[in-house]
Protein backbone atom coordinates (compact mmCIF):
# COMPACT_ATOMS: atom_id res chain seq x y z
CA UNK A 1 0.00 0.00 0.00
CA UNK A 2 2.83 2.40 0.88
CA UNK A 3 4.59 1.62 -2.42
CA UNK A 4 1.40 2.37 -4.34
CA UNK A 5 0.92 5.72 -2.58
CA UNK A 6 4.58 6.58 -3.13
CA UNK A 7 4.28 5.78 -6.85
CA UNK A 8 1.16 7.92 -7.22
CA UNK A 9 2.91 10.80 -5.46
CA UNK A 10 5.84 10.51 -7.89
CA UNK A 11 3.47 10.55 -10.88
CA UNK A 12 1.75 13.69 -9.66
CA UNK A 13 5.11 15.32 -8.95
CA UNK A 14 6.43 14.84 -12.47
CA UNK A 15 3.21 16.17 -13.96
CA UNK A 16 3.52 19.34 -11.88
CA UNK A 17 7.11 20.30 -12.73
CA UNK A 18 7.67 23.94 -13.65
CA UNK A 19 10.52 26.30 -14.41
CA UNK A 20 9.13 28.85 -11.99
CA UNK A 21 11.34 28.96 -8.89
CA UNK A 22 8.26 29.30 -6.67
CA UNK A 23 6.41 26.39 -8.29
CA UNK A 24 6.39 23.13 -6.36
CA UNK A 25 5.92 22.03 -2.79
CA UNK A 26 8.46 24.47 -1.30
CA UNK A 27 9.74 27.98 -1.86
CA UNK A 28 13.40 27.95 -2.81
CA UNK A 29 15.60 29.86 -0.37
CA UNK A 30 13.05 29.72 2.46
CA UNK A 31 13.86 28.76 6.08
CA UNK A 32 11.47 26.97 8.42
CA UNK A 33 11.25 25.77 12.02
CA UNK A 34 9.35 22.62 13.05
CA UNK A 35 8.69 21.73 16.72
CA UNK A 36 7.21 18.23 17.04
CA UNK A 37 6.43 15.43 19.46
CA UNK A 38 4.92 11.97 19.63
CA UNK A 39 5.53 8.36 20.55
CA UNK A 40 8.71 6.36 19.93
CA UNK A 41 8.32 2.55 20.23
CA UNK A 42 11.79 1.05 20.74
CA UNK A 43 13.48 -2.32 20.84
CA UNK A 44 16.95 -3.66 21.56
CA UNK A 45 18.85 -5.52 18.83
CA UNK A 46 20.69 -8.81 19.39
CA UNK A 47 19.89 -9.27 23.07
CA UNK A 48 22.76 -11.38 24.36
CA UNK A 49 22.98 -11.83 28.10
CA UNK A 50 22.18 -10.49 31.52
CA UNK A 51 24.57 -11.66 34.22
CA UNK A 52 24.68 -11.13 37.96
CA UNK A 53 26.09 -12.64 41.14
CA UNK A 54 24.13 -13.30 44.31
CA UNK A 55 25.60 -15.04 47.37
CA UNK A 56 28.72 -15.84 45.38
CA UNK A 57 26.77 -17.66 42.65
CA UNK A 58 26.92 -16.57 39.01
CA UNK A 59 23.67 -16.36 37.03
CA UNK A 60 23.33 -15.72 33.30
CA UNK A 61 20.23 -15.42 31.10
CA UNK A 62 19.03 -13.63 27.97
CA UNK A 63 18.99 -9.87 28.37
CA UNK A 64 15.52 -8.27 28.69
CA UNK A 65 14.00 -6.19 25.90
CA UNK A 66 13.29 -2.46 26.11
CA UNK A 67 9.61 -2.77 27.00
CA UNK A 68 10.41 -5.41 29.64
CA UNK A 69 12.25 -2.92 31.83
CA UNK A 70 10.92 0.53 30.86
CA UNK A 71 7.64 2.31 30.25
CA UNK A 72 6.44 3.34 26.78
CA UNK A 73 8.84 5.94 25.29
CA UNK A 74 7.95 9.38 23.92
CA UNK A 75 9.97 11.77 21.77
CA UNK A 76 10.12 15.59 21.57
CA UNK A 77 12.24 17.70 19.28
CA UNK A 78 12.60 20.32 16.62
CA UNK A 79 14.28 20.96 13.28
CA UNK A 80 15.52 23.92 11.26
CA UNK A 81 15.24 23.57 7.50
CA UNK A 82 16.42 25.39 4.39
CA UNK A 83 14.83 24.85 0.98
CA UNK A 84 17.67 24.23 -1.46
CA UNK A 85 15.18 23.89 -4.33
CA UNK A 86 11.40 24.02 -4.61
CA UNK A 87 11.30 20.31 -3.77
CA UNK A 88 14.36 19.53 -1.63
CA UNK A 89 14.95 20.67 1.95
CA UNK A 90 18.17 20.37 3.95
CA UNK A 91 17.60 20.22 7.72
CA UNK A 92 19.24 19.86 11.12
CA UNK A 93 17.27 18.46 14.02
CA UNK A 94 17.59 17.67 17.72
CA UNK A 95 15.27 15.35 19.64
CA UNK A 96 15.02 13.72 23.04
CA UNK A 97 13.54 10.29 23.71
CA UNK A 98 12.45 9.46 27.26
CA UNK A 99 10.98 6.38 28.93
CA UNK A 100 9.97 6.30 32.57
CA UNK A 101 10.82 3.88 35.36
CA UNK A 102 9.45 0.41 34.76
CA UNK A 103 7.83 -1.99 37.17
CA UNK A 104 9.76 -4.52 39.23
CA UNK A 105 10.76 -7.46 37.03
CA UNK A 106 11.48 -10.99 38.14
CA UNK A 107 15.00 -11.62 36.91
CA UNK A 108 15.67 -15.04 38.39
CA UNK A 109 14.62 -17.46 41.07
CA UNK A 110 17.51 -17.89 43.50
CA UNK A 111 18.11 -19.95 46.61
CA UNK A 112 15.72 -22.70 45.45
CA UNK A 113 15.67 -24.18 48.92
CA UNK A 114 13.87 -21.07 50.18
CA UNK A 115 12.02 -20.07 46.96
CA UNK A 116 13.64 -16.63 47.03
CA UNK A 117 13.13 -14.27 44.10
CA UNK A 118 15.39 -11.54 42.83
CA UNK A 119 13.69 -8.55 41.19
CA UNK A 120 15.08 -5.37 39.68
CA UNK A 121 13.64 -1.98 38.79
CA UNK A 122 15.33 0.29 36.28
CA UNK A 123 15.43 4.07 36.36
CA UNK A 124 14.53 6.51 33.59
CA UNK A 125 15.93 6.13 30.07
CA UNK A 126 16.93 9.24 28.13
CA UNK A 127 18.60 9.72 24.74
CA UNK A 128 19.52 12.97 22.97
CA UNK A 129 19.81 12.73 19.18
CA UNK A 130 21.38 15.31 16.83
CA UNK A 131 21.10 14.84 13.05
CA UNK A 132 21.63 16.34 9.61
CA UNK A 133 19.47 15.24 6.73
CA UNK A 134 17.37 15.99 3.70
CA UNK A 135 13.74 15.67 2.61
CA UNK A 136 12.28 15.49 -0.89
CA UNK A 137 8.73 16.82 -1.31
CA UNK A 138 6.22 15.85 -3.98
CA UNK A 139 3.88 18.52 -5.34
CA UNK A 140 0.44 16.97 -5.73
CA UNK A 141 -1.08 20.15 -7.09
CA UNK A 142 -2.85 21.15 -3.90
CA UNK A 143 -2.10 22.17 -0.34
CA UNK A 144 -0.69 18.85 0.86
CA UNK A 145 2.73 17.46 0.03
CA UNK A 146 4.02 13.95 0.81
CA UNK A 147 7.75 13.67 1.46
CA UNK A 148 10.52 11.15 2.00
CA UNK A 149 13.74 11.84 3.86
CA UNK A 150 16.87 10.49 5.48
CA UNK A 151 19.12 11.67 8.29
CA UNK A 152 22.42 10.77 9.92
CA UNK A 153 23.90 11.79 13.27
CA UNK A 154 24.70 10.66 16.80
CA UNK A 155 22.66 9.76 19.86
CA UNK A 156 23.88 10.30 23.43
CA UNK A 157 22.25 8.12 26.08
CA UNK A 158 22.36 8.72 29.80
CA UNK A 159 23.16 5.87 32.16
CA UNK A 160 20.25 3.76 33.37
CA UNK A 161 20.36 2.80 37.04
CA UNK A 162 18.67 -0.18 38.63
CA UNK A 163 17.51 -1.14 42.09
CA UNK A 164 17.75 -4.81 43.00
CA UNK A 165 15.41 -6.51 45.47
CA UNK A 166 15.57 -9.97 46.99
CA UNK A 167 12.29 -11.08 48.54
CA UNK A 168 11.10 -7.44 48.22
CA UNK A 169 13.99 -6.21 50.35
CA UNK A 170 16.33 -3.78 48.64
CA UNK A 171 19.61 -5.57 48.11
CA UNK A 172 21.73 -3.19 46.01
CA UNK A 173 21.76 -0.27 43.58
CA UNK A 174 23.84 -0.32 40.42
CA UNK A 175 23.83 0.63 36.73
CA UNK A 176 21.85 -1.35 34.20
CA UNK A 177 23.59 0.42 31.29
CA UNK A 178 26.36 3.02 31.29
CA UNK A 179 26.08 6.31 29.43
CA UNK A 180 27.41 6.31 25.88
CA UNK A 181 27.31 7.99 22.47
CA UNK A 182 26.69 6.08 19.24
CA UNK A 183 26.10 6.76 15.55
CA UNK A 184 22.47 6.83 14.44
CA UNK A 185 20.52 7.28 11.23
CA UNK A 186 17.20 6.59 9.65
CA UNK A 187 14.50 7.14 7.05
CA UNK A 188 11.40 9.33 7.09
CA UNK A 189 7.98 9.25 5.43
CA UNK A 190 5.51 12.03 6.01
CA UNK A 191 2.96 14.58 4.91
CA UNK A 192 3.08 18.38 4.91
CA UNK A 193 -0.38 20.03 4.87
CA UNK A 194 -0.75 23.79 4.49
CA UNK A 195 -2.86 25.41 7.21
CA UNK A 196 -2.18 29.07 6.47
CA UNK A 197 0.26 31.16 4.45
CA UNK A 198 3.04 30.79 6.99
CA UNK A 199 1.98 27.64 8.88
CA UNK A 200 1.85 23.95 7.90
CA UNK A 201 0.89 20.78 9.74
CA UNK A 202 3.48 17.98 9.65
CA UNK A 203 2.82 14.27 10.23
CA UNK A 204 5.82 11.94 10.06
CA UNK A 205 6.85 8.34 10.69
CA UNK A 206 10.50 7.32 11.03
CA UNK A 207 12.67 4.22 11.38
CA UNK A 208 15.93 4.97 13.22
CA UNK A 209 18.77 2.62 14.01
CA UNK A 210 21.53 3.43 16.51
CA UNK A 211 24.68 1.78 17.79
CA UNK A 212 24.93 -0.55 20.76
CA UNK A 213 24.33 0.41 24.36
CA UNK A 214 27.32 0.30 26.69
CA UNK A 215 27.19 -2.53 29.26
CA UNK A 216 27.67 -1.59 32.90
CA UNK A 217 31.04 -2.46 34.37
CA UNK A 218 31.37 -5.59 36.48
CA UNK A 219 31.81 -4.53 40.08
CA UNK A 220 32.89 -6.63 43.02
CA UNK A 221 30.14 -5.58 45.40
CA UNK A 222 27.34 -6.45 42.97
CA UNK A 223 28.16 -7.39 39.39
CA UNK A 224 25.18 -6.66 37.15
CA UNK A 225 26.11 -6.98 33.50
CA UNK A 226 23.83 -6.60 30.47
CA UNK A 227 24.91 -6.91 26.87
CA UNK A 228 22.64 -6.00 23.96
CA UNK A 229 23.26 -4.73 20.45
CA UNK A 230 21.99 -1.41 19.20
CA UNK A 231 18.45 -0.06 19.15
CA UNK A 232 15.67 0.40 16.65
CA UNK A 233 13.28 3.29 17.32
CA UNK A 234 10.11 4.00 15.33
CA UNK A 235 8.92 7.54 16.11
CA UNK A 236 5.47 8.66 14.97
CA UNK A 237 5.18 12.40 15.44
CA UNK A 238 3.12 15.48 14.63
CA UNK A 239 4.35 19.06 14.45
CA UNK A 240 3.87 22.56 13.08
CA UNK A 241 6.08 24.11 10.39
CA UNK A 242 6.61 27.87 10.71
CA UNK A 243 7.77 29.27 7.36
CA UNK A 244 10.06 32.30 7.13
CA UNK A 245 9.93 33.85 3.69
Amino acid sequence: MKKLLFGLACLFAFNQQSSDVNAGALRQGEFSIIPYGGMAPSTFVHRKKSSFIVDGKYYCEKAPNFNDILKFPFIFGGSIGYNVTNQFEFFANVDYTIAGTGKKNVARSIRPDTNSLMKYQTGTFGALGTYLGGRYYYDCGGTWYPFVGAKLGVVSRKSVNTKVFIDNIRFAKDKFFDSNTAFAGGLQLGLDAELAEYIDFIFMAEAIGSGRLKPSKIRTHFPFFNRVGGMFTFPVTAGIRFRMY
Side-chain angles (χ1 to χ4, degrees):
M1 187 64 174
K2 289 183 178 179
K3 291 183 178 179
L4 176 60
L5 293 175
F6 181 75
L8 290 174
C10 290
L11 180 61
F12 281 126
F14 287 120
N15 288 335
Q16 295 295 327
Q17 287 182 351
S18 169
S19 60
D20 184 357
V21 73
N22 285 326
L26 307 172
R27 286 177 179 259
Q28 184 174 338
E30 174 188 275
F31 286 92
S32 63
I33 298 175
I34 306 175
Y36 61 86
M39 58 183 181
S42 302
T43 183
F44 295 142
V45 182
H46 301 309
R47 292 184 292 134
K48 295 183 179 180
K49 65 178 180 178
S50 179
S51 305
F52 44 89
I53 295 177
V54 177
D55 292 346
K57 294 182 179 180
Y58 178 82
Y59 298 91
C60 182
E61 58 186 26
K62 189 173 183 178
N65 207 341
F66 190 96
N67 58 2
D68 293 328
I69 59 175
L70 293 158
K71 291 183 178 178
F72 193 83
F74 292 91
I75 188 169
F76 305 93
S79 69
I80 298 176
Y82 175 75
N83 300 338
V84 181
T85 70
N86 59 7
Q87 288 185 291
F88 181 77
E89 175 192 27
F90 175 80
F91 69 90
N93 93 266
V94 177
D95 57 44
Y96 191 76
T97 303
I98 186 169
T101 300
K103 62 182 180 180
K104 292 180 183 178
N105 295 270
V106 176
R108 181 85 181 209
S109 297
I110 59 174
R111 302 171 185 155
D113 55 323
T114 60
N115 295 319
S116 292
L117 291 177
M118 187 184 87
K119 300 181 181 181
Y120 55 83
Q121 183 178 37
T122 57
T124 302
F125 172 88
L128 177 68
T130 55
Y131 304 91
L132 295 175
R135 286 189 280 258
Y136 190 88
Y137 291 75
Y138 297 89
D139 185 359
C140 296
T143 57
W144 59 276
Y145 310 99
F147 63 84
V148 293
K151 64 182 184 181
L152 184 66
V154 295
V155 59
S156 298
R157 309 182 184 102
K158 75 182 192 71
S159 61
V160 178
N161 295 321
T162 185
K163 298 176 183 177
V164 182
F165 302 83
I166 296 180
D167 296 334
N168 292 320
I169 299 175
R170 181 167 165 173
F171 178 76
K173 181 179 180 180
D174 211 326
K175 290 184 178 180
F176 206 80
F177 294 109
D178 273 334
S179 59
N180 79 312
T181 299
F183 287 108
L187 302 175
Q188 302 177 337
L189 178 66
L191 182 69
D192 182 312
E194 186 176 335
L195 298 178
E197 185 178 4
Y198 298 97
I199 301 175
D200 293 5
F201 172 78
I202 301 289
F203 179 80
M204 182 169 60
E206 299 178 275
I208 301 173
S210 57
R212 71 180 184 87
L213 286 83
K214 184 178 181 181
S216 57
K217 296 179 181 179
I218 295 181
R219 297 171 174 82
T220 56
H221 69 284
F222 184 72
F224 199 98
F225 184 83
N226 294 277
R227 183 181 294 278
V228 298
M231 285 184 63
F232 281 130
T233 304
F234 304 96
V236 178
T237 58
I240 297 295
R241 177 196 297 274
F242 296 96
R243 298 178 178 270
M244 294 176 285
Y245 295 162

